[in-house]
Structures are given as structure tokens and as C-alpha cells.
Amino acid sequence: MPATVTRQRDILTAMLQVVELEPALRWFELGCSLGRNAGDELSDIDCGVGIADDQWPEALDLGSRLGACGGPISDTMQQAFPGRDGAHG
């Protein structure tokens, strides 16, 4: 990643360290401008992390840990998706 996105690279490095150490986290995907190597100093980090199905309830707090990699959190959003059992996660 170019020097113009040093802050984003540092945050992503911290996030990847969490993902690599947590067996419940199965994958990490970076998208949009940073994923296309077209980001600049104002680019946000658009990413997704997958949680193993059998680890879902216990792993929800990992999202907070990943978000905190960027520093103080000013706002959050949790989006519910239908689960395999018809419940929401």
C-alpha cells in the first residue's frame, strides 16, 4: 500500500493480527478503493470478516475488538442477517 494510506495500512495490520489469532474468524476481505489499490488518505476501510458458524454467539465481541483497532469509536451499527436456522445473527 502506498505511503498516502499509511494510517489505513496500520489499522488493517492490527485487524489482521486479531483475525489470524482467533480461530473463530474464518476470512477477511478488503473491498472498494483500498481493495482496488486506488485509495488515498481520505479512504475509509471497507472490509468484512467471516465467523465460523459454530462460533457465532461467542465470537460477536470480536467485532468490537476489530473496530477498536482504528482508535476511539464514535458510532457503531450492527446489521442482522437471517441465519440458517431462521433466526438472526
Side-chain angles (χ1 to χ4, degrees), residues 24-87:
L25 302 178
R26 307 300 298 195
W27 51 264
F28 180 89
E29 182 177 355
L30 179 63
C32 297
S33 62
L34 291 174
R36 292 190 317 271
N37 201 28
D40 61 26
E41 64 276 0
L42 299 177
S43 293
D44 62 345
I45 298 174
D46 298 290
C47 63
V49 179
I51 298 174
D53 289 342
D54 62 339
Q55 299 282 329
W56 176 253
E58 296 82 18
L60 292 176
D61 69 314
L62 293 174
S64 297
R65 285 182 48 202
L66 288 169
C69 291
I73 297 172
S74 61
D75 195 11
T76 63
M77 179 194 82
Q78 292 185 347
Q79 184 172 356
F81 293 98
R84 290 183 184 177
D85 61 358

Side-chain angles (χ1 to χ4, degrees), residues 3-25:
T4 55
V5 294
T6 299
R7 179 68 178 136
Q8 293 94 326
R9 182 181 59 233
D10 292 346
I11 293 169
L12 287 165
T13 298
M15 292 176 84
L16 285 172
Q17 289 173 348
V18 172
V19 171
E20 290 172 349
L21 293 174
E22 292 292 344
L25 302 178

